[in-house]
Amino acid sequence: MPRRCSVTDRSLVLRIGDHVHGFLRDLHDQGLRVPLPRRRVFLQAIEAVGPCDATDLYWIGASTLTMSREDLEVYSPTFERWFGAVATRPARDQESPDDETPVPHGKGGEAPFTAALGGQAGLEAGYSERERHPVFGPASAEDREVLSLLRRELRGAVPTVRSRRRRPGRRGPWIDLARICRESWRGHGEIVTLRRRNRPRRQRRVLLLIDVSGSMKQHSAGYLRFAHAAVGCLDRVEVFTFGTRLTRVTEPLRARDVDAAVASLSDVVLDAEGGTRIGVSLQEFLGNTRYVTVARGALVIVLSDGLERGDCRPMQAAVRRLSLLGHRLLWWTPLACDPAYRPVTRGMSAVLGSVDALAGVRDLRTAYEQVQTLIRE
């Protein structure tokens, strides 16, 4: 647990009260534009932790107001002007080292701010909520060839269900009296053909939930192109992306050209290549009654590595409810393309019991192979 001091420097308390809002305005003027929610978290953290000295206050601000090394380069000199110089690392309590929260590091000794963004290579889960405009490159010739195959095969991969509405048909258990009467008028009251109605089969809804966080940025473009193919050839499809928030992207993906459709998402999906909050995003989906209707009885496909940060219980509860709502819940992850992969991370091991099938999908080619598997089933 983090250490909490019992005595706070009174002069620091006065400086915080007098200067904190001016300090935040100065950060904005220096180019570090902190959104209002993070400012609120900063103030709440000051109240909750009760900093003993300027070093404590520095690290409270660094952990809540900055999201990258560039942000820290602006934050540090600005903080020094308002509150004085501090140590480069938080002081450790020598008497009770077990109670001290260690400074987190990313893979290979990365600074915590780089790890928060998912690492420079985008191979790790992070928690950054910084808005950005991702750039999705054009589809290659091979991708376009696979997309044409997907459009041809996807219809056969989606399970069907009996429609609740009765339609005219050659056979069926119900007599179509209205149609018989209309035709009898033309035949002077004679019933020539006994017309019937039935409930034809129709495709189930398809719900695609696509992870666009930093750890998935090598695969997000391929997943979105797959979603574009699904929206173009299936009757009832809804597509959502999630990283640190939930975004509905069905309408932008209705554009005819795949490159234009995916490129338009750069102004819509503002949490791409950032942090990962799978449980919170899925719970936001389930908290919207309109979205829940989409999931009911649908083929639900989650395209994510399942690398959740923090408490995995919200993710476990959300995936469990999605499994109960939908017809089938499929989880496609790029990690499962490795034959040695085992779902032993906290997030995946928690939701594995609610998933109907776990498969490896890292690009359009592997997605096409899974579609072929669904057709055979």
Side-chain angles (χ1 to χ4, degrees):
M1 296 179 60
R3 65 185 177 89
R4 185 186 181 95
C5 62
S6 57
V7 179
T8 302
D9 184 0
R10 180 168 180 79
S11 63
L12 177 63
V13 174
L14 295 175
R15 276 186 291 164
I16 292 175
D18 293 340
H19 300 329
V20 67
H21 294 291
F23 165 64
L24 292 174
R25 285 195 301 270
D26 195 7
L27 284 178
H28 185 276
D29 295 339
Q30 297 299 322
L32 179 54
R33 291 171 173 79
V34 182
L36 183 60
R38 291 220 309 272
R39 295 189 184 194
R40 187 181 299 117
V41 172
F42 170 59
L43 298 175
Q44 291 172 345
I46 292 175
E47 182 179 1
V49 175
C52 300
D53 50 32
T55 301
D56 284 352
L57 180 62
Y58 172 89
W59 285 102
I60 290 173
S63 60
T64 56
L65 301 176
T66 68
M67 287 295 171
S68 66
R69 284 195 179 99
E70 292 76 13
D71 291 351
L72 193 62
E73 291 173 358
V74 176
Y75 169 81
S76 296
T78 307
F79 183 93
E80 186 173 346
R81 285 199 304 273
W82 285 87
F83 299 103
V86 297
T88 56
R89 282 187 175 274
R92 292 186 177 273
D93 188 348
Q94 299 296 334
E95 298 181 358
S96 55
D98 293 339
D99 293 337
E100 175 68 14
T101 301
V103 179
H105 283 273
K107 185 176 180 180
E110 287 179 323
F113 310 101
T114 303
L117 293 169
Q120 295 293 340
L123 300 176
E124 302 170 19
Y127 48 85
S128 167
E129 296 185 44
R130 185 178 183 180
E131 291 187 355
R132 50 180 56 77
H133 296 271
V135 178
F136 301 106
S140 63
E142 181 182 358
D143 288 342
R144 290 184 177 275
E145 181 181 349
V146 178
L147 283 171
S148 65
L149 295 175
L150 281 169
R151 295 187 189 98
R152 191 161 58 238
E153 301 288 346
L154 269 171
R155 285 186 174 273
V158 179
T160 59
V161 64
R162 289 284 181 186
S163 172
R164 294 187 178 184
R165 295 187 178 185
R166 300 174 184 177
R167 305 287 185 185
R170 297 182 61 183
R171 297 182 181 85
W174 297 281
I175 302 290
D176 191 348
L177 287 177
R179 193 175 175 193
I180 291 173
C181 290
R182 286 197 302 270
E183 292 183 354
S184 68
W185 294 340
R186 294 194 293 268
H188 303 285
E190 294 289 337
I191 298 177
V192 178
T193 306
L194 192 62
R195 300 297 184 181
R196 294 186 175 275
R197 296 174 71 86
N198 60 17
R199 291 170 55 196
R201 302 195 71 85
R202 63 181 304 186
Q203 292 176 350
R204 287 186 177 273
R205 289 189 181 93
V206 176
L207 171 62
L208 299 178
L209 299 167
I210 300 176
D211 188 344
V212 293
S213 61
S215 61
M216 294 290 293
K217 70 179 182 180
Q218 297 178 358
H219 314 284
S220 298
Y223 289 170
L224 292 171
R225 293 184 186 113
F226 170 78
H228 177 267
V231 170
C233 69
L234 298 178
D235 297 333
R236 299 182 296 169
V237 184
E238 287 291 342
V239 185
F240 294 83
T241 63
F242 63 88
T244 56
R245 69 186 75 171
L246 185 76
T247 308
R248 181 176 179 267
V249 296
T250 309
E251 294 305 321
L253 289 175
R254 295 193 190 279
R256 187 176 184 86
D257 181 68
V258 60
D259 288 340
V262 175
S264 67
L265 297 180
S266 63
D267 295 327
V268 179
V269 184
L270 300 180
D271 59 334
E273 302 177 8
T276 306
R277 298 172 64 194
I278 302 175
V280 173
S281 300
L282 295 183
Q283 286 189 332
E284 181 182 349
F285 175 89
L286 295 170
N288 189 312
T289 54
R290 293 177 58 191
Y291 296 166
V292 169
T293 303
V294 172
R296 187 169 287 115
L299 174 65
V300 183
I301 304 178
V302 182
L303 298 101
S304 171
D305 54 14
L307 299 180
E308 175 70 308
R309 291 189 62 93
D311 188 4
C312 294
R313 286 176 294 182
M315 174 180 171
Q316 183 180 11
V319 173
R320 174 63 177 167
R321 190 178 173 201
L322 270 178
S323 177
L324 295 175
L325 282 171
H327 170 66
R328 291 190 70 195
L329 175 59
L330 310 180
W331 197 290
W332 291 354
T333 170
L335 303 178
C337 292
D338 183 356
Y341 169 74
R342 298 292 182 272
V344 295
T345 58
R346 289 184 303 161
M348 288 308 303
S349 60
V351 305
L352 194 60
S354 302
V355 175
D356 293 299
L358 178 66
V361 173
R362 62 169 174 262
D363 52 21
L364 288 174
R365 178 63 64 179
T366 50
Y368 177 71
E369 293 172 0
Q370 291 304 316
V371 168
Q372 293 292 103
T373 301
L374 292 177
I375 292 174
R376 289 193 294 269
E377 293 177 353

